[in-house]
């Protein structure tokens, strides 16, 4: 399982967290009376669901699992999968607060620097049982509510984010310029009941396809050195450990000071 990184879900007109990349600084959450309007042309630097790479969802034969871009209606499941995987020890009410915080942040979306791309991928298991809870948002003083969001559970089996923002890659040159041509994978998480089915491998494979479509020449990630299963997975997929100089101040996820990360990279196979 990857250390959490900034998880963002682009918006769409139709209706998923982490001090480092899925838990940015806490965001203030305000209940809005109306569903936010979606501009016909997104502002520069903002990533929307309609801008997601237009690739057909990948269906993996023999499993029935589909890997695709996350949609707005997946927000609660993405937030729940992230929190249950990276923060399993949280108890009520903190676990609920954390999920709601991530849910609202995902609905709001995050900006990305101009020229950069970010995708949130989900592995969907169509055979999983799905139960939904609807939340209606509005002013309690009104006779009716104006917004409605669905909190579904049961179909999203795993999540992953991949981007070219390069927040966790060493900067280039004296001017500390952002590196280009390298995609970064984070927030690889699979629900407990869906593990050992190759879902993480499917997500990573799709992320590499996205990196190739973006013109990236390599993919990088950080992995918790104590997570032996994840290390085996990445090494089996061709990722190599990169030795970081002792005096180098390379950026890395900052979840817990006691956690050590292995920096790994892989060349993107040419199609």
């Amino acid at each position: 399982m990857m250390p959490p990184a900034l998880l963002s879900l682009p918006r769409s007109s139709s209706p998923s967290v982490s001090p480092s990349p899925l838990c940015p600084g806490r965001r203030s959450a305000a209940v809005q009376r109306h569903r936010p309007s979606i501009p016909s042309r997104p502002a520069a630097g903002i990533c929307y669901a309609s801008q997601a790479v237009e690739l057909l969802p990948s269906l993996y034969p023999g499993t029935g699992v589909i890997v695709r871009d996350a949609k707005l209606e997946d927000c609660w499941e993405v937030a729940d999968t992230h929190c249950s995987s990276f923060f399993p020890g949280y108890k009520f009410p903190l676990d609920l607060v954390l999920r709601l915080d991530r849910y609202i942040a995902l609905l709001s979306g995050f900006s990305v620097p101009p020229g950069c791309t970010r995708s949130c991928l989900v592995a969907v298991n169509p055979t999983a049982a799905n139960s939904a809870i609807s939340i209606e948002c509005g002013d309690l003083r009104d006779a009716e509510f104006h917004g409605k969001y669905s909190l579904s559970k049961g179909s999203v089996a795993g999540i992953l984010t991949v981007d070219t923002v390069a927040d966790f890659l060493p900067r280039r040159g004296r001017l500390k310029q952002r590196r280009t041509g390298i995609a970064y994978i984070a927030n690889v998480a699979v629900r407990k009941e869906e593990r050992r089915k190759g879902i993480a491998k499917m997500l990573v494979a799709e992320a590499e396809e996205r990196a190739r479509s973006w013109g990236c020449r390599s993919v990088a990630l950080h992995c918790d050195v104590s997570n032996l299963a994840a290390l085996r997975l990445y090494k089996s997929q061709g990722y190599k450990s990169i030795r970081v100089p002792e005096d180098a101040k390379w950026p890395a996820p900052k979840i817990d000071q006691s956690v050590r990360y292995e920096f790994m990279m892989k060349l993107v196979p040419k199609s």
Side-chain angles (χ1 to χ4, degrees), residues 32-35 135-138 144-149:
Q32 299 185 9
R33 297 187 58 180
H34 299 278
R35 180 173 297 178
I135 290 184
E136 294 181 331
C137 303
E144 61 180 359
F145 293 100
H146 303 285
K148 187 174 182 179
Y149 295 98

Side-chain angles (χ1 to χ4, degrees), residues 7-9 11 15-17 22 26-27 29 35 71-83 95-110 133-137 147-152:
L7 176 60
S8 64
L9 176 62
R11 275 185 172 173
S16 84
V17 265
L22 205 69
R26 287 290 176 192
R27 303 168 61 96
R35 180 173 297 178
K71 302 176 182 178
L72 211 58
E73 57 263 33
D74 299 322
C75 280
W76 180 257
E77 284 191 85
V78 173
D80 183 60
T81 301
H82 174 265
C83 295
D95 60 340
L96 178 60
V97 171
L98 183 60
R99 282 163 171 77
L100 289 174
D101 178 75
R102 297 302 87 206
Y103 177 66
I104 294 171
L106 288 164
L107 286 176
S108 302
F110 293 103
I133 303 174
S134 294
I135 290 184
E136 294 181 331
C137 303
K148 187 174 182 179
Y149 295 98
S150 174
L151 305 187
S152 58

Side-chain angles (χ1 to χ4, degrees), residues 15 19-20 24 29-30 34 38 45 57 59 63 84 87 100 124 129 145 149 155 158 176 210 227-228 243 250 253 259:
S20 64
H34 299 278
I38 306 299
L59 174 63
T63 66
S84 62
F87 308 101
L100 289 174
V124 178
F145 293 100
Y149 295 98
S155 61
K176 304 296 183 182
R210 295 301 173 90
N227 193 335
L228 301 182
R243 183 179 177 276
W250 288 14
V259 178

Side-chain angles (χ1 to χ4, degrees), residues 21-261:
L22 205 69
C23 247
R26 287 290 176 192
R27 303 168 61 96
S28 59
V31 177
Q32 299 185 9
R33 297 187 58 180
H34 299 278
R35 180 173 297 178
S37 59
I38 306 299
S40 57
R41 292 188 178 182
I46 304 296
C47 186
Y48 291 91
S50 59
Q51 294 176 280
V53 178
E54 295 297 333
L55 298 176
L56 292 175
S58 299
L59 174 63
Y60 289 82
T63 66
V65 174
I66 297 172
V67 178
R68 59 166 172 79
D69 284 287
K71 302 176 182 178
L72 211 58
E73 57 263 33
D74 299 322
C75 280
W76 180 257
E77 284 191 85
V78 173
D80 183 60
T81 301
H82 174 265
C83 295
S84 62
S85 298
F86 293 111
F87 308 101
Y90 277 50
K91 304 298 182 183
F92 184 83
L94 291 179
D95 60 340
L96 178 60
V97 171
L98 183 60
R99 282 163 171 77
L100 289 174
D101 178 75
R102 297 302 87 206
Y103 177 66
I104 294 171
L106 288 164
L107 286 176
S108 302
F110 293 103
S111 63
V112 294
C116 297
T117 306
R118 176 180 289 127
S119 288
C120 175
L121 303 178
V122 294
V124 178
N125 185 356
T127 63
N130 187 292
S131 58
I133 303 174
S134 294
I135 290 184
E136 294 181 331
C137 303
D139 193 327
L140 296 177
R141 295 171 297 180
D142 291 347
E144 61 180 359
F145 293 100
H146 303 285
K148 187 174 182 179
Y149 295 98
S150 174
L151 305 187
S152 58
K153 183 177 181 181
S155 61
V156 171
I159 62 174
L160 173 151
T161 56
V162 57
D163 63 55
T164 58
V165 179
D167 280 341
F168 290 88
L169 298 176
R171 296 290 172 144
R172 180 164 49 87
R174 294 183 179 180
L175 299 179
K176 304 296 183 182
Q177 295 177 316
R178 189 184 303 274
R179 289 188 178 271
T180 58
I182 305 175
Y184 184 83
I185 290 176
N187 305 309
V188 183
V190 178
R191 287 185 177 276
K192 188 175 182 179
E193 63 272 18
E194 298 287 352
R195 292 173 186 171
R196 300 184 181 278
K197 298 180 181 179
I199 291 176
K201 186 183 295 186
M202 299 175 199
L203 286 163
V204 171
E206 183 63 21
E208 292 174 0
E209 286 295 327
R210 295 301 173 90
R212 183 187 293 108
S213 72
W214 296 338
C216 295
R217 59 184 180 274
S218 58
V219 182
L221 56 84
H222 283 90
C223 184
D224 183 348
V225 297
S226 65
N227 193 335
L228 301 182
L231 285 172
R232 285 195 297 269
L233 167 66
Y234 297 128
K235 289 180 179 179
S236 71
Q237 298 306 298
Y239 287 83
K240 305 294 183 183
S241 297
I242 305 299
R243 183 179 177 276
V244 180
E246 294 183 2
D247 58 344
K249 296 182 179 180
W250 288 14
K254 298 178 181 178
I255 308 304
D256 189 328
Q257 295 296 330
S258 63
V259 178
R260 293 177 52 245
Y261 295 105

